[in-house]
């Protein structure tokens, strides 16, 4: 063996040459190296690993499957998407919802689009709806969300393809096949009457086979689980919620929709106010006010003026490419609504159905409550109204109870009032009154030093911690307890959620305390109502709240809702009077649109799409939606698997997916909110008590629905802003540039499409 070289005596040039030589040798060995399947080194040996056979890829044959025409209802959060509609050859920085939905339908082999008469086999060719009978309801813009978007489409079905019974007679094949040619040659001597007899036999056999398939196939329970199939491949911020198995004849998600409902969410205050005198501004419409807070009353007054048939050319963005000349649209409803605490996100968890134990206060319904629920529903009362009149019952509990006792709505829809006493409503609990025995049991438990949890278990049924605590402390002031005529004392010393809601409703309806006392609170004094309202104003009047601008209409122009919201925000900030709405709607006074900014996109939601029956007077949705978790909205393989959930709740359910999205953002909200409180408490708390004379000349901050206000310098009223060209001038200039033939106004069809 050669002795190792002594590199200490080598020069730099020799060392460099040696390194290069070794590198070249290593490259050559690497190229010629062939890994062994049996050994890794001289010391470690592995058993022979047989080569796995690759599974053959079978081409998908659409001809083997039947199809059906359905409607799909789905929701999406729009922040991550470039709007709903996909435009061919138009690259966008973000994907569109329509593109993502199309790829999901292609991946699950639910649609068979055609291109030049040939079925498109994969998604590489780009979005293509040809041959799918596809239509969409609303075209939401970039950043806009939807909770009730609807499409109609022809999809693959689980129903077996109608097959012809085997026979020696060839029918409907003028070209012929090799097999049929052989049969024809073999049976050339068959007489004509034999052919006729065989044809009759073929018809009977085919009819029998198809009849057998039709009888054995349930079009809902035996159908493909469309909801689950799509939700598995869609991103978590797009969820299919329901499907309609039988849309009406000639149904179009676009033109059959007669009402679209939008909600634009905003906070109160709109942005963070400045404390002290520095945050007080003076506007022409509200006088001195603290910047950031909105005048909700003025916004409601302005919103009422939108209802009806109006020309909204000053509340939209004109698209000359469409050459629209008719800007009249009908608004059915427009309001500013506070999101109630019991309806805010995750209020469902407060329902007794989600309680941590079975022994929860008021999980059972009494006979009287159930009868009241049905009678109220027959009178047309909503779940919220019924909930307000049933202490301790949320609107969700009311809805669940109604579905449990009257799933098909037969009792509610009955022509005559049913005899409720003849029905068995299931488990019934005793009313939660406190008897003299209850008083003694509660006092004895407290005297013995038992815990509150132990105390709750002494009663049958167990009472809640809140009920025991509040009643125990009320015993110290017995004069506040009103005796019942039955000898029982119903605890009414505190204000529950329903009473707070009734109080605020009375204030919103401008009722006097005397009227509220007579109608809602006969057991409370007028002075007590006034005092409680003052407490509510001090405790809750200046806490952040969530409101929505809710608008329902037959159709909407491009960015119409966002323009409406922008004007209402200016009214709420006192920068414009409520009359600005009527002035912009009057095209004789304001024939051209002032150049003002529309509201931002993210808080806008396409809330629902309504498809009433043709002869319907109520305007209610007539489609038979099957929602996830309903019979027909559950995957067949999981109907008997309790651990897998029902597709709505539980493992792999839609609610689990949405919960994960909510929780991520809720944690961000809590951290950011806590940081605000921490920073606000640091340093000096001495705020200016007198206004700076120069504050009137500072730049105005205008709220547009975004995360922070915009600095606009000295505010210029809307009617004093620069005007845009008239609609006619914009259409004429575009038509001349594109060489279009001018269309008559009478020939222009109103675009019944949501274009937000």
């Amino acid at each position: 063996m050669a002795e190792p070289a002594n590199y200490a005596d080598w020069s730099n040039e020799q060392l460099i040459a040696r390194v290069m030589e070794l590198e070249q040798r290593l490259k050559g060995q690497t190229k010629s190296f062939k890994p062994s399947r049996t050994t890794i080194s001289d010391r470690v040996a592995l058993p022979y690993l047989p080569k796995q056979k690759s599974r053959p890829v079978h081409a998908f044959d659409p001809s083997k499957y039947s199809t059906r025409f359905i409607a799909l209802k789905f929701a999406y959060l729009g922040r991550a998407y470039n709007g709903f509609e996909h435009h061919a050859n138009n690259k966008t920085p973000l994907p569109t919802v329509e593109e993502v939905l199309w790829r999901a339908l292609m991946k699950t082999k639910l649609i068979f689009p055609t291109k030049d008469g040939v079925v498109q086999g994969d998604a590489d060719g780009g979005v293509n709806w040809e041959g799918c009978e596809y239509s969409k309801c609303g075209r939401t813009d970039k950043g806009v969300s939807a909770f009730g978007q609807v499409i109609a489409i022809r999809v693959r079905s689980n129903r077996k393809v109608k097959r012809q019974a085997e026979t020696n007679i060839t029918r409907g094949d003028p070209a012929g096949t090799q097999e049929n040619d052989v049969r024809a040659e073999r049976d050339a001597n068959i007489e004509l009457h034999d052919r006729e007899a065989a044809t009759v036999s073929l018809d009977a056999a085919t009819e029998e086979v198809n009849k057998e398939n039709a009888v054995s196939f349930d079009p809902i329970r035996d159908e493909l689980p469309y909801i689950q199939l799509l939700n598995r491949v869609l991103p978590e911020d797009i969820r299919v919620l329901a499907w309609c198995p039988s849309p009406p004849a000639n149904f179009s998600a676009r033109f059959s929709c007669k009402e679209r409902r939008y909600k634009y969410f905003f906070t109160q205050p709109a942005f963070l106010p400045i404390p002290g005198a520095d945050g007080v501004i003076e506007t022409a419409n509200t006088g001195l006010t603290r910047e950031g807070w909105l005048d909700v009353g003025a916004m409601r007054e302005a919103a009422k003026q939108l209802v009806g048939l109006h020309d909204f050319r000053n509340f939209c963005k004109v698209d000359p490419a469409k050459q629209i000349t008719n800007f009249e649209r009908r608004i059915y409803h427009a309001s500013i609504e506070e999101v109630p605490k019991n309806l805010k996100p995750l209020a469902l968890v407060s329902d007794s159905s989600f309680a941590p134990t079975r022994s929860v206060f008021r999980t059972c319904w009494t006979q009287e409550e159930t009868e009241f629920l049905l009678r109220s529903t027959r009178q047309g009362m909503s779940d919220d109204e019924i909930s307000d009149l049933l202490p301790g019952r949320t609107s969700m509990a009311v809805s669940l109870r109604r579905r449990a006792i009257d799933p098909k709505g037969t009792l509610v829809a009955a022509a005559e009032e049913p005899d409720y006493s003849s029905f068995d409503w299931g488990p019934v609990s005793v009313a939660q009154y406190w008897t003299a025995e209850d008083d003694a049991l509660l006092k004895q438990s407290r005297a013995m030093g038992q815990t509150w949890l132990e105390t709750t278990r002494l009663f049958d049924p167990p009472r809640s911690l809140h009920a025991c605590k509040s009643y125990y402390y009320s015993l110290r002031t017995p004069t506040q307890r009103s005796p019942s005529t039955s000898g029982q004392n119903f605890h009414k010393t505190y204000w529950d959620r329903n009473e707070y809601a009734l109080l605020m409703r009375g204030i919103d309806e401008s009722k006097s305390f005397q009227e509220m006392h007579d109608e809602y609170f006969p057991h409370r004094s007028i002075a007590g109502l006034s005092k409680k309202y003052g407490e509510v104003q001090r405790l809750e009047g200046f806490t952040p709240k969530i409101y929505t601008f809710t608008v329902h209409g037959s159709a909407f122009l491009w960015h119409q809702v966002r323009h409406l919201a922008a004007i209402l925000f200016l009214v709420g900030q006192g920068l414009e009077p409520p009359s600005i709405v009527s002035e912009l709607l009057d095209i004789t006074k304001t024939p051209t649109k002032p150049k003002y900014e529309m509201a931002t996109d993210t808080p806008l939601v396409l809330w629902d799409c309504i498809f009433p029956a043709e002869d319907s007077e109520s305007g209610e949705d007539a489609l038979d939606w099957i929602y996830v978790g309903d019979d027909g909205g559950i995957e067949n393989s999981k109907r008997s698997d309790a651990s897998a959930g029902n597709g709505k709740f539980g493992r792999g359910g839609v609610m689990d997916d949405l919960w994960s999205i909510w929780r991520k953002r809720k944690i961000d909200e809590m951290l950011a909110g806590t940081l605000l409180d921490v920073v606000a408490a640091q340093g000096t708390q001495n705020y200016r008590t007198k206004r700076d004379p120069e504050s009137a000349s500072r730049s105005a901050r205008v709220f547009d629905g975004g995360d922070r206000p915009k600095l606009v310098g000295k505010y210029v009223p809307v009617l004093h802003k620069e005007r845009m060209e008239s609609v006619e001038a914009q259409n004429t200039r575009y038509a001349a540039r594109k060489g279009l033939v001018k269309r008559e106004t009478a020939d222009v069809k109103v675009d019944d499409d949501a274009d937000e």
Side-chain angles (χ1 to χ4, degrees), residues 498-728:
N498 299 308
E499 289 185 306
Y500 276 114
L502 289 175
L503 177 63
M504 300 312 299
R505 177 194 293 181
I507 297 299
D508 289 341
E509 295 175 354
S510 302
K511 294 181 180 292
S512 65
F513 289 119
Q514 180 66 53
E515 292 173 329
M516 285 190 285
H517 171 271
D518 297 338
E519 186 172 352
Y520 301 142
F521 307 103
H523 57 285
R524 298 195 182 276
S525 66
I526 297 177
L529 294 178
S530 177
K531 180 180 179 181
K532 180 56 65 175
Y533 176 67
E535 293 177 0
V536 171
Q537 288 295 92
R538 288 193 298 273
L539 296 177
E540 300 183 4
F542 304 111
T543 56
K545 297 181 180 179
I546 302 175
Y547 285 84
T548 64
F549 165 47
T550 303
V551 57
H552 304 169
S554 58
F556 291 89
L557 297 161
W558 194 15
H559 296 322
Q560 180 180 339
V561 178
R562 291 168 62 185
H563 280 79
L564 296 175
I567 294 298
L568 293 179
F569 290 148
L570 294 177
V571 172
Q573 293 174 90
L575 300 174
E576 296 289 344
S579 59
I580 183 64
V581 173
S582 59
E583 294 187 60
L584 289 174
L585 290 174
D586 189 347
I587 60 173
T588 58
K589 293 183 179 179
T590 316
T592 56
K593 176 190 171 185
K595 292 184 178 180
Y596 63 91
E597 295 290 332
M598 63 181 174
T600 191
D601 48 25
T602 308
L604 180 59
V605 178
L606 173 59
W607 194 258
D608 204 0
C609 302
I610 307 300
F611 300 87
E614 293 184 1
D615 55 349
S616 173
E617 296 182 358
S618 64
E620 296 181 356
D621 192 54
L623 293 185
D624 296 326
W625 292 109
I626 298 177
Y627 289 90
V628 58
D630 292 346
D631 192 18
I634 305 174
E635 197 166 357
N636 280 328
S637 60
K638 294 185 177 180
R639 283 199 172 97
S640 59
D641 184 2
S643 64
N646 62 356
K648 184 175 183 178
F649 293 100
R651 175 166 52 87
V654 171
M655 294 298 292
D656 265 17
D657 298 334
L658 297 178
W659 174 277
S660 65
I661 295 177
W662 169 83
R663 192 182 182 283
K664 292 175 187 175
R665 301 181 183 183
K666 185 64 177 180
I667 295 299
D668 290 340
E669 174 195 341
M670 293 302 299
L671 293 176
T674 304
L675 181 58
L676 278 172
D677 293 335
V678 169
V679 175
Q682 294 172 346
T684 180
Q685 306 293 322
N686 296 326
Y687 305 122
R688 195 193 302 270
T689 58
K690 293 184 179 181
R691 294 184 65 214
D692 187 351
E694 298 182 358
S695 62
S697 61
R698 71 186 183 189
S699 178
R701 299 198 293 171
V702 176
F703 175 64
D704 66 347
D707 297 330
R708 61 179 64 198
K710 290 186 176 180
L711 296 176
V712 298
K714 184 178 180 181
Y715 179 75
V716 178
V718 169
L719 296 180
H720 295 168
K721 292 180 182 291
E722 183 183 356
R723 302 295 179 89
M724 302 183 67
E725 285 185 309
S726 66
V727 173
E728 294 76 15

